[in-house]
Amino acid sequence: MESAVLYGVPQGSVLGPILFLLYAADLLQLIKSHQLYPHAYADDTQIYGFCHPRETDVLQLRLSACIDDVSLWMTSNRLQLNPTKTEIRWCASVRRRQQIPVRPVRIGDTAVSPVTAVRDLGVHLDAMSMTAHVTATVRSCFAALRQIRSVA
């Protein structure tokens, strides 16, 4: 049974991601105005910044201010920021890793603690060793093999 689409585009439409990116183009400029770098894929947006280790407090403040503005932009465009899906990941060389801040970053009214590994487009990124990704891939393969074994 078909139903009429009154607004938006049907789920899975090839136009969906393209129209969303056009709709969200201002968001990317807003992030850049905070001297940060956006990366968008479909409805997922990542914000990157870099600094000298002694300037992490300034970067954290700039990031919090940026996310406040992003949240306001989203509200005014009938979108919603989900703080529970927001992750903070600090990257540094092995030599500088002890200088990475461990205190939470303010995301609106929520404090988000830095994590050691994140998932980005299906790839698990950790301290640049890919251990998290290899572990997740092996776990997934073994689960598939167990399912195949139970069928045979």
Side-chain angles (χ1 to χ4, degrees):
M1 179 175 169
E2 292 185 31
S3 63
V5 176
L6 301 176
Y7 53 89
V9 295
Q11 181 74 26
S13 165
V14 294
L15 286 176
I18 295 168
L19 291 175
F20 181 80
L21 288 175
L22 289 172
Y23 185 73
D26 293 340
L27 176 63
L28 304 180
Q29 292 306 314
L30 174 67
I31 294 167
K32 289 177 184 177
S33 74
H34 286 272
Q35 299 169 334
L36 296 167
Y37 303 91
H39 179 257
Y41 182 80
D43 65 345
D44 184 31
T45 303
Q46 298 166 355
I47 301 173
Y48 297 93
F50 61 91
C51 67
H52 194 276
R54 65 177 163 258
E55 297 169 350
T56 56
D57 291 338
V58 174
L59 180 58
Q60 281 186 306
L61 291 173
R62 204 171 45 186
L63 184 60
S64 291
C66 177
I67 294 176
D68 286 344
D69 287 349
V70 166
S71 183
L72 286 172
W73 180 90
M74 292 179 84
T75 301
S76 68
N77 285 282
R78 298 185 210 166
L79 298 170
Q80 185 176 10
L81 178 69
N82 188 347
T84 62
K85 289 186 175 182
T86 302
E87 295 178 310
I88 304 292
R89 167 78 174 95
W90 289 98
C91 297
S93 67
V94 174
R95 247 184 44 215
R96 301 267 188 199
R97 213 164 280 150
Q98 74 278 359
Q99 295 173 307
I100 292 177
V102 293
R103 65 188 169 283
V105 175
R106 184 188 54 77
I107 307 292
D109 295 333
T110 306
V112 177
S113 295
V115 295
T116 57
V118 294
R119 188 168 174 228
D120 183 18
L121 299 176
V123 177
H124 297 265
L125 301 172
D126 57 6
M128 303 304 156
S129 69
M130 299 296 287
T131 302
H133 182 68
V134 170
T135 302
T137 302
V138 169
R139 184 182 315 119
S140 177
C141 290
F142 276 122
L145 286 172
R146 283 191 297 275
Q147 288 178 341
I148 291 170
R149 188 178 65 198
S150 69
V151 173

